[in-house]
């Protein structure tokens, strides 16, 4: 028997970019226990601080029915569990479901009859029922769709976006039975003002999520290829895109680095499953490979521009403005700015990185990078604008130029400034 909507207590497993905003929304109207394996994360949330900057302190305090814990036993009296943990890839670009498996075991140990387990983590079609459900059964001793039920509602969080937050982004929902699907949909409707879309099955919902980012990856891959062609032809890519954009159905994609926990990762999940069922994708992995080479391409463009000015790359001081995977957020996951840095270091350049959004300790721990805290004029041989933080736009091109030596190369990967103000851009 499924829980009644007026008698629900939720256990939220994972309090990162996805889990915390959703837990806060539910915590305004429903008792919810926020669980995370990181005691440090739990302590900061108890103090009302979110280091990801996705949720403000006042919003956490408004979630009066939300409590935080790293103790599994505090989940035991919940009857709905939502799992929102990372699903990255390994060093060979294969799905890494370690956190998802651990979370499933954790929930399985406290699962009771009539409970519902909802997954939000991005996976390939079939993963929830093929990987996660057996773990729940194994740990709980209960039978799927008899003693407990499952749902899937893929996350659509856009880190750093203050206009599109969890409550005003339409939510796809699905369930393991007709009744479970109705239950999951009704539950999310209580907090998602934008509404819900009930998919016909968990597999359909999983597939819908994974192709959202695969589609974007392929489209950006096309533009990244075009920008390399246009550069060889001596044409400014932005001018071409603006001209083409006058047609009503031209898609407004721009070239750039493709990182983060979604676009640069999710396509590999679909490729993995496709190969598992005997199909060898061509367009998707080709786009992935092309996009993953863009950091190297940017570095090579800068090296060529420096050579044209007879500036040596060896021991050159190069400033990278921005380290996060996107603008106006502190998220460092899978940032492709590191590809630019790695390529420049091959030529023994001396790299400085400045990013006002990033925690110094986190950058050091994640990538071994000691961030610059202050910048001095007339210092750098090249400056690469890698991330479009508002602070860099506000800094202005003249201030950025002043940081460089008279012959310094200024390269803009994000179109922050017009082509005539820089020495090169994508």
């Amino acid at each position: 028997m499924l829980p009644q909507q007026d008698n629900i207590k939720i256990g939220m497993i994972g309090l990162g970019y996805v889990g915390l905003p959703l837990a806060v929304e539910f915590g305004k109207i429903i008792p919810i226990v926020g669980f995370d394996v990181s005691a440090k994360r739990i302590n900061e949330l108890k103090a009302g601080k979110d280091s990801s900057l996705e949720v403000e302190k006042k919003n956490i305090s408004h979630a009066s029915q939300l409590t935080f814990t790293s103790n599994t036993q505090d989940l035991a009296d919940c009857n709905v569990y939502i799992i929102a943990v990372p699903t990255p890839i390994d060093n060979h670009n294969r799905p890494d479901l370690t956190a998802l498996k651990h979370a499933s075991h954790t929930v399985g140990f406290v699962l009771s009859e009539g409970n519902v387990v909802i997954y939000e983590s991005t996976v390939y079609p079939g993963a929830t029922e093929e990987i996660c459900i057996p773990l729940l059964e194994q740990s709980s001793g209960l039978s799927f769709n008899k003693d407990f039920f499952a749902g899937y509602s893929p996350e659509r969080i856009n880190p750093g976006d203050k206009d599109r937050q969890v409550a005003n982004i339409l939510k796809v929902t699905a369930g393991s039975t007709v009744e479970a699907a109705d239950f999951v949909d009704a539950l999310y409707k209580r907090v998602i003002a934008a509404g819900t879309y009930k998919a016909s099955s968990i597999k359909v919902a999983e597939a819908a999520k994974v192709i959202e980012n695969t589609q974007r990856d392929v489209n950006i891959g096309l533009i990244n290829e075009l920008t390399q062609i246009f550069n060889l032809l001596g044409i400014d890519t932005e001018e071409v895109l603006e001209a083409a954009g006058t047609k009503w159905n031209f898609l407004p994609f721009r070239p750039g680095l493709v990182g983060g926990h979604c676009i640069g990762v999710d396509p590999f999940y679909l490729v993995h499953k496709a190969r598992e069922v005997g199909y060898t994708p061509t367009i998707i992995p080709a786009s992935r490979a092309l996009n993953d080479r863009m950091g190297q391409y940017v570095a090579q463009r800068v090296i060529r521009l420096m050579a044209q000015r007879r500036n040596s790359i060896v021991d050159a001081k190069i400033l990278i403005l921005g380290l996060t995977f996107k603008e106006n957020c502190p998220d460092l996951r899978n940032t492709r700015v590191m590809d630019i840095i790695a390529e420049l270091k091959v030529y023994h350049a001396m790299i400085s990185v400045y990013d006002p959004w990033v925690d110094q300790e986190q950058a050091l721990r994640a990538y071994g990078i000691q961030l610059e805290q202050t910048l001095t004029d007339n210092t750098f041989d090249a400056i690469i604008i890698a991330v479009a933080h508002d602070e860099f736009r506000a800094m202005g091109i003249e201030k950025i130029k002043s940081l460089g030596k008279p012959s310094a190369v200024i390269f803009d990967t994000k179109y922050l400034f017009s082509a005539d103000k820089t020495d090169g851009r994508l």
Side-chain angles (χ1 to χ4, degrees):
M1 180 71 70
L2 290 160
Q4 298 298 310
Q5 289 289 339
D6 60 356
N7 186 32
I8 289 174
K9 184 174 183 180
I10 298 173
M12 177 66 71
I13 317 301
L15 295 171
Y17 283 88
V18 175
L20 179 63
L22 187 60
V24 167
E25 290 303 315
F26 276 121
K28 296 173 183 177
I29 62 169
I30 297 173
I32 180 167
V33 179
F35 172 87
D36 200 283
V37 294
S38 170
K40 179 181 178 182
R41 177 65 166 163
I42 293 300
N43 288 334
E44 77 168 35
L45 291 175
K46 284 181 176 179
K49 179 186 176 184
D50 173 25
S51 57
S52 72
L53 305 181
E54 289 300 301
V55 182
E56 296 180 5
K57 185 173 183 177
K58 64 179 180 180
N59 290 331
I60 295 177
S61 63
H62 288 163
S64 59
Q65 300 191 64
L66 170 61
T67 60
F68 299 109
T69 186
S70 56
N71 186 345
T72 306
Q73 289 307 309
D74 292 335
L75 297 166
D77 61 344
C78 296
N79 52 12
V80 174
Y81 298 93
I82 299 176
I83 295 178
V85 296
T87 45
I89 51 176
D90 64 18
N91 292 333
H92 302 286
N93 295 327
R94 297 173 302 199
D96 181 357
L97 301 178
T98 303
L100 195 62
K101 291 177 180 178
H102 286 163
S104 297
H105 274 301
T106 297
V107 170
F109 289 130
V110 294
L111 200 62
S112 301
E113 287 191 22
N115 289 181
V116 180
V117 184
I118 304 168
Y119 289 86
E120 291 237 352
S121 304
T122 302
V123 291
Y124 53 77
T128 299
E129 290 157 298
E130 295 166 10
I131 304 295
C132 301
I133 299 303
L135 296 177
L136 292 173
E137 290 185 309
Q138 176 186 330
S139 298
S140 67
L142 301 175
S143 297
F144 178 49
N145 280 341
K146 177 185 177 185
D147 300 321
F148 73 92
F149 304 87
Y152 187 76
S153 183
E155 61 89 3
R156 280 179 166 171
I157 294 295
N158 188 27
D161 190 337
K162 300 306 179 184
D163 295 321
R164 299 181 186 87
Q165 296 188 310
V166 63
N168 51 26
I169 301 173
L170 193 142
K171 206 85 161 66
V172 173
T173 66
S176 56
T177 66
V178 172
E179 294 77 16
D182 290 341
F183 172 85
V184 173
D185 195 66
L187 177 63
Y188 279 93
K189 269 190 168 73
R190 297 176 66 178
V191 294
I192 305 298
T196 61
Y197 178 92
K198 187 166 57 176
S200 62
S201 69
I202 288 176
K203 269 190 179 181
V204 167
E206 290 168 327
K209 170 57 185 178
V210 81
I211 71 164
E212 287 176 12
N213 290 318
T214 299
Q215 182 188 65
R216 292 179 65 195
D217 194 43
V218 169
N219 277 297
I220 297 170
L222 171 63
I223 302 301
N224 276 339
E225 186 161 73
L226 291 175
T227 197
Q228 295 180 53
I229 295 171
F230 294 150
N231 177 56
L232 293 172
L233 294 173
I235 304 172
D236 184 78
T237 301
E238 177 69 359
E239 291 184 16
V240 175
L241 295 177
E242 286 179 353
T246 59
K247 190 168 187 284
W248 69 91
N249 59 353
F250 185 81
L251 300 177
F253 287 94
R254 290 296 185 269
L257 306 175
V258 184
H261 190 61
C262 293
I263 304 180
V265 172
D266 296 355
F268 287 120
Y269 273 72
L270 192 56
V271 168
H272 167 83
K273 190 61 179 181
R275 288 172 176 163
E276 193 176 79
V277 296
Y279 181 82
T280 302
T282 53
I283 295 174
I284 299 171
S287 299
R288 265 294 65 240
L290 195 152
N291 287 338
D292 276 351
R293 290 195 300 269
M294 285 305 290
Q296 183 183 34
Y297 173 73
V298 168
Q300 290 296 330
R301 286 279 305 276
V302 171
I303 291 169
R304 175 172 290 190
L305 287 167
M306 291 177 67
Q308 289 171 349
R309 294 188 176 180
R310 299 183 183 277
N311 292 342
S312 173
I313 182 65
V314 177
D315 293 330
K317 294 181 178 180
I318 299 180
L319 173 63
I320 310 289
L321 292 177
L323 182 60
T324 61
F325 89 89
K326 66 177 292 188
E327 67 276 5
N328 302 327
C329 80
D331 197 344
L332 289 175
R333 292 176 298 175
N334 194 34
T335 174
R336 307 317 297 190
V337 177
M338 290 303 302
D339 297 340
I340 301 176
I341 295 171
E343 183 68 9
L344 292 172
K345 282 185 174 180
V346 170
Y347 295 88
H348 303 290
M350 300 169 64
I351 309 299
S352 297
V353 182
Y354 176 75
D355 193 319
W357 279 87
V358 175
D359 177 74
Q360 176 104 357
E361 183 181 322
Q362 186 180 9
L364 192 61
R365 183 173 62 252
Y367 297 108
I369 288 180
Q370 186 78 41
L371 293 173
E372 299 295 324
Q373 298 301 297
T374 58
L375 298 174
T376 305
D377 286 354
N378 197 35
T379 300
F380 301 101
D381 299 290
I383 300 171
I384 302 173
I385 303 168
V387 185
H389 290 319
D390 287 344
E391 287 83 351
F392 301 150
R393 192 187 306 272
M395 190 183 293
I397 189 62
E398 294 307 319
K399 174 57 180 175
I400 291 173
K401 284 183 176 180
S402 73
L403 299 172
K405 298 174 183 177
S407 61
V409 167
I410 311 295
F411 194 88
D412 184 0
T413 73
K414 302 300 293 186
Y415 298 107
L416 277 189
F417 306 103
S418 59
D420 62 326
K421 300 293 186 181
T422 63
D423 301 298
R425 59 182 189 170
L426 285 178

